Amino acid sequence: MGLLSLGTPLPWLESRQYNEHVRDNGVQQLLYSFKAAYGRKNDIFYWGDELEFIMFKFQNHDGEGQNAVLTLESDDVLTSLNNEDISICEANDVLFHPEYGRYMIEATPASPYEGLNTEYVENNMQIRRKLVEQRLAGRGCRLAAMAVFPRMGCEDFSDIKNVWDHHNNASKSLYLPDEVTNRHARFPTLTANIRTRRGEKVNIQVPMYKDKFTPYRDDSVYKRDWFEPEDSESVLAAKPGYIYMDAMGFGMGCCCLQITLQAPDISKARYVYDSLANIATIMLAATAASPFFKGWLADQDVRWNVISSAVDDRTPYERGVAPLLPQSNNGHGSSIKANPQRIPKSRYSVVDLFLGGNEFFDRSFNDTDVPLNEKVLETLQSNDIFELDYDLARHFSHLFIRDPLVIFQERINQDNLTSTDHFENIQSTNWQSLRFKPPNQKATPDQKDAPGWRVEFRTMELQMTEFENAAYSCFIHIITECLLTFSHEINPYMPMSKIWENMEIAHRRDAVLEQQFHWKDDLHGGRTSLSNMDHVFHNVKSGLFPQFIDRLLKYKSMVTESWRELVKSKDSSNVRLFYYLKLISDRATGNLPTAAKFLRQYVLSHPDYSQDSRVTKEINYDTLKVADRITHLDDSNGELTKFFGGEIANYIKSCTK
Ligand code: ADP
Ligand code: MG
Ligand code: MG
Ligand code: MG
Ligand code: MG
Ligand code: MG
């Protein structure tokens, strides 16, 4: 999320008259960007990560037990970090960004990294956390590095008093007050516009973990009489055996780890995007860290489909279902579109199409049902500014089936030669597992200050420690460098339909241990087999370690055979890399637990747990305490050792002395 546009965001029924205007001009802006930047060559392999954190506090009530609650009153910390503290941030090479949740803070390096320096990356991440922690300490708040806050949406989950003495008009949720949402007008408008376009509240269903005394259905669903018809929807929407959630905040309030990588030119960027498509589904399962939602243990380990449903603005017609209530108006799609399309997927989802443009690509790999905006497809291929080839045009014309969700009154008319707001309006609300980030109109071949062609890797779940977040970031960096280096040897393609299936499989509880994923037999042909995670990571012919990690490390003369040699390196940054890779390898074999498994086990074995899948306030408090100790590398209760195993825990502890 870059700078937020200032101005007046239009409510849906007023903004939709400009939808086609935004698309038409967005296409022009994209074409001018292509015209400027198409010829860029040899851009540096810059890269960077994004971490999202949760601001919260521990509460100890006399005689009433303990709880941990989100703080919805500490967002001024972000304002300070971007204003009076900006020089401290610059000096430390860190930058803070707003996120959907008022309790959230996103943090990135201020300038992208160049090369792989594990210590720099991890240290930079640590400084980001510490700077926020220092500012929160004075008010009794803390920062959690957790993908999901266990009791968000339950009784007493925030520090706002009398939170239900007024109505929550943006989300109309039974559970989340509008105060969970960032104060900037863009965010409540986004929330309301998605709901209005859809014609119903969003409807999020997560399978509930089934234990001995788990109730038949989510018993927090109730009938209220604030909003008609929304308050009548929930009872109809909630399904037995599922955790029911009804607001954007449940999804966009989760925390992820994203990596952006710059390719030397557009053709390599397309190749990297296509190559990472399947790896992104694998890495969602490998980084699983979300075993609970809204006070219930879930029968899945990841956040992805929660966000997907949380921002699903499709009308019932587009989804191909009947509205929940007969009196519903079937949503408020674009008034201009005469013939609405059926749309199989939410705008937050796994990638839809390979971009192609290289020797290995064959159009038959794009074998899924992907609706296109035919007008955009036509314009992108035939215009006076810059003509895109069919495969690239197809990618963008799919993104342009979506409506812009928030339009600022003051930004309706733009100069397409210099602005990209309209393009970004569509692009940045197509939240997919990867994002192909084109440069802007400034990025001519000689203007190296302007970013070039980038790919963003968006599936990974935020981990509790910088050690892990840096490990996964560096892992993706090495894989991408390998792809860039061996782009004429590695054929990454398999049918897109199998990647979609992998995304479903990645959601299942303990997918790392229990599930099989579509994976290529070798990196030459198109044959795939169902493979367990150990095979995906370690098999000699196509595994991530032998074929990507070892291949690159050997090429760079960092090892002769295997990454395991790094442990003996004289360079402490490489020794750290060894432990990063060991963590990832041991999680793939099941020798070490994912964060999801570890946290689930913690809840299941908590003395206050009653075999009913409920995460009580006591359990929530203690879970946040454990996570807090792990984040701070505090092994006083042996949790660090349990989580990382003795060898890695000892290494981590030896470095903090
Ligand atoms: P968004 O939220 O749109 O994904 P952010 O600005 O939050 O964007 O994060 C972008 C990430 O990309 C940061 O880690 C940043 O350091 C990194 N980055 C910035 N410029 C480049 C570049 N030219 N190439 C690769 N990565 C970059
Ligand atoms: Mg960001
Ligand atoms: Mg963002
Ligand atoms: Mg973010
Ligand atoms: Mg991002
Ligand atoms: Mg206790």
Side-chain angles (χ1 to χ4, degrees):
M1 171 64 56
L3 286 177
L4 294 165
S5 296
L6 295 172
T8 320
L10 295 172
W12 180 252
L13 296 179
E14 283 171 49
S15 82
R16 67 176 176 168
Q17 63 185 302
Y18 303 111
N19 288 350
E20 200 65 0
H21 169 85
V22 168
R23 273 188 290 263
D24 287 345
N25 288 282
V27 164
Q28 299 293 307
Q29 295 174 358
L30 177 65
L31 292 173
Y32 282 118
S33 300
F34 262 89
K35 183 180 179 182
Y38 192 79
R40 280 176 81 111
K41 290 273 174 299
N42 305 318
D43 280 347
I44 293 173
F45 181 30
Y46 286 131
W47 68 294
D49 70 274
E50 297 163 69
L51 304 178
E52 293 164 349
F53 295 102
I54 292 173
M55 299 186 277
F56 78 104
K57 45 169 94 133
F58 288 115
Q59 288 182 336
N60 293 287
H61 302 289
D62 287 342
E64 275 180 58
Q66 299 159 317
N67 195 10
V69 301
L70 295 174
T71 173
L72 303 180
E73 295 176 329
S74 295
D75 49 334
D76 57 298
V77 164
L78 174 65
T79 314
S80 317
L81 287 165
N82 278 314
N83 291 285
E84 58 264 34
D85 292 342
I86 194 72
S87 54
I88 301 172
C89 295
E90 277 165 11
N92 285 290
D93 187 20
V94 301
L95 189 60
F96 295 91
H97 313 256
E99 249 305 330
Y100 181 86
R102 197 175 291 181
Y103 58 87
M104 290 170 87
I105 194 158
E106 183 184 294
T108 64
S111 50
Y113 312 124
E114 190 181 340
L116 186 70
N117 182 337
T118 57
E119 289 171 343
Y120 189 84
V121 171
E122 189 174 329
N123 191 41
N124 186 278
M125 290 177 170
Q126 202 176 92
I127 292 168
R128 289 178 235 163
R129 172 171 55 79
K130 290 190 169 160
L131 282 175
V132 183
E133 281 179 340
Q134 282 164 11
R135 279 148 191 81
L136 288 173
R139 52 181 96 189
C141 295
R142 301 185 71 84
L143 199 63
M146 287 183 86
V148 53
F149 191 77
R151 276 179 61 87
M152 184 157 100
C154 300
E155 189 193 17
D156 299 333
F157 79 93
S158 81
D159 64 350
I160 299 210
K161 293 188 188 66
N162 307 325
V163 73
W164 294 119
D165 67 0
H166 53 280
H167 292 183
N168 48 349
N169 288 291
S171 74
K172 303 192 176 179
S173 167
L174 293 183
Y175 311 104
L176 299 187
D178 285 342
E179 289 88 342
V180 300
T181 304
N182 190 308
R183 255 175 249 275
H184 188 286
R186 178 186 140 80
F187 295 94
T189 305
L190 186 58
T191 309
N193 286 5
I194 286 175
R195 179 177 48 67
T196 311
R197 188 188 187 289
R198 179 180 166 91
E200 296 170 351
K201 287 191 293 183
V202 295
N203 177 357
I204 308 163
Q205 311 273 350
V206 172
M208 193 180 283
Y209 180 79
K210 227 174 155 41
D211 208 338
K212 210 165 162 188
F213 303 116
T214 304
Y216 170 68
R217 50 165 68 240
D218 181 343
D219 54 17
S220 61
V221 183
Y222 68 103
K223 175 79 179 73
R224 184 178 62 182
D225 58 1
W226 285 359
F227 304 111
E228 251 341 293
E230 289 82 1
D231 281 349
S232 302
E233 289 164 12
S234 301
V235 179
L236 295 169
K239 297 192 289 190
Y242 286 81
I243 306 165
Y244 167 73
M245 293 171 277
D246 64 350
M248 181 171 176
F250 282 111
M252 283 296 179
C254 293
C255 295
C256 61
L257 162 64
Q258 297 175 339
I259 316 297
T260 296
L261 309 121
Q262 179 165 281
D265 54 51
I266 181 173
S267 153
K268 291 254 178 134
R270 292 169 73 168
Y271 170 77
V272 165
Y273 180 96
D274 288 2
S275 304
L276 292 177
N278 194 36
I279 295 174
T281 67
I282 297 296
M283 294 311 290
L284 173 64
T287 59
S290 308
F292 30 52
F293 295 94
K294 211 188 74 175
W296 298 101
L297 278 177
D299 203 26
Q300 69 178 47
D301 280 348
V302 297
R303 77 201 187 289
W304 190 268
N305 60 359
V306 176
I307 320 180
S308 183
S309 304
V311 294
D312 190 354
D313 68 326
R314 292 173 301 157
T315 64
Y317 178 87
E318 287 165 342
R319 281 179 283 131
V321 301
L324 281 168
L325 292 162
Q327 71 265 38
S328 289
N329 48 29
N330 214 348
H332 297 277
S334 224
S335 55
I336 289 115
K337 260 195 235 157
N339 301 307
Q341 281 171 306
R342 301 281 186 187
I343 304 180
K345 274 164 58 277
S346 163
R347 57 202 296 156
Y348 193 110
S349 75
V350 60
V351 291
D352 285 277
L353 293 163
F354 292 116
L355 304 180
N358 64 69
E359 64 208 91
F360 301 118
F361 176 67
D362 182 310
R363 245 166 233 167
S364 66
F365 290 120
N366 279 328
D367 65 338
T368 50
D369 173 18
V370 176
L372 304 178
N373 181 326
E374 296 291 341
K375 179 178 147 193
V376 171
L377 181 67
E378 183 68 36
T379 309
L380 289 175
Q381 294 176 97
S382 166
N383 62 74
D384 299 334
I385 305 167
F386 186 91
E387 291 180 351
L388 273 64
D389 62 73
Y390 173 74
D391 298 301
L392 211 47
R394 199 169 164 203
H395 164 77
F396 286 109
S397 71
H398 171 64
L399 304 188
F400 275 77
I401 65 166
R402 310 290 175 178
D403 285 337
L405 291 171
V406 180
I407 297 173
F408 287 87
Q409 193 164 14
E410 296 80 358
R411 302 286 303 146
I412 292 170
N413 294 311
Q414 297 173 16
D415 176 2
N416 295 336
L417 286 166
T418 54
S419 173
T420 53
D421 273 22
H422 287 325
F423 166 67
E424 284 296 335
N425 197 332
I426 302 292
Q427 157 98 340
S428 71
T429 54
N430 269 276
W431 295 280
Q432 303 200 316
S433 49
L434 301 172
R435 182 172 288 158
F436 183 62
K437 291 179 166 175
N440 63 27
Q441 301 93 330
K442 286 201 203 96
T444 51
D446 52 326
Q447 285 301 321
K448 294 286 187 183
D449 286 351
W453 300 94
R454 287 143 299 147
V455 175
E456 185 180 21
F457 195 89
R458 298 168 49 81
T459 52
M460 294 194 288
E461 306 227 317
L462 186 78
Q463 308 292 300
M464 289 185 279
T465 62
E466 286 86 36
F467 179 85
E468 298 160 273
N469 287 315
Y472 287 110
S473 302
C474 293
F475 186 72
I476 297 306
H477 179 272
I478 297 173
I479 285 178
T480 306
E481 186 172 358
C482 177
L483 287 163
L484 291 172
T485 309
F486 297 101
S487 55
H488 297 293
E489 292 175 32
I490 298 175
N491 171 351
Y493 291 103
M494 58 192 262
M496 182 58 78
S497 55
K498 296 213 157 100
I499 295 178
W500 285 20
E501 275 178 42
N502 276 350
M503 202 60 174
E504 300 284 333
I505 297 166
H507 277 80
R508 300 184 194 152
R509 175 163 54 86
D510 272 335
V512 174
L513 290 182
E514 307 292 340
Q515 299 296 327
Q516 302 221 307
F517 293 83
H518 298 289
W519 193 253
K520 292 187 65 147
D521 292 343
D522 59 50
L523 298 177
H524 304 294
R527 267 181 51 117
T528 62
S529 305
L530 280 168
S531 313
N532 65 23
M533 275 291 194
D534 186 15
H535 186 88
V536 165
F537 278 79
H538 299 116
N539 91 80
V540 176
K541 278 187 157 172
S542 66
L544 290 168
F545 277 99
Q547 287 298 329
F548 293 84
I549 304 297
D550 287 341
R551 186 195 290 228
L552 186 79
L553 297 181
K554 281 193 270 188
Y555 172 79
K556 297 179 84 162
S557 302
M558 288 167 72
V559 301
T560 53
E561 286 301 325
S562 151
W563 59 272
R564 292 184 183 275
E565 297 158 36
L566 292 170
V567 71
K568 297 193 214 91
S569 173
K570 300 264 179 294
D571 178 341
S572 61
S573 178
N574 290 342
V575 175
R576 182 159 295 263
L577 180 58
F578 165 79
Y579 286 102
Y580 287 173
L581 296 172
K582 178 171 165 53
L583 171 81
I584 294 170
S585 173
D586 284 355
R587 280 190 178 163
T589 55
N591 283 340
L592 290 178
T594 61
K597 187 175 179 96
F598 179 86
L599 292 168
R600 177 189 304 282
Q601 285 303 329
Y602 181 78
V603 172
L604 290 173
S605 57
H606 192 282
D608 202 41
Y609 180 67
S610 310
Q611 292 178 274
D612 54 1
S613 309
R614 291 180 208 273
V615 182
T616 62
K617 290 180 194 174
E618 283 293 324
I619 299 175
N620 185 53
Y621 175 91
D622 286 334
T623 304
L624 266 292
K625 280 280 179 189
V626 178
D628 192 64
R629 281 190 292 272
I630 289 180
T631 298
H632 293 92
L633 311 179
D634 169 357
D635 201 21
S636 54
N637 288 1
E639 290 133 347
L640 205 64
T641 299
K642 196 168 168 207
F643 185 48
F644 284 120
E647 192 181 340
I648 297 176
N650 286 338
Y651 168 72
I652 293 175
K653 286 190 282 184
S654 74
C655 298
T656 56
K657 273 184 196 136

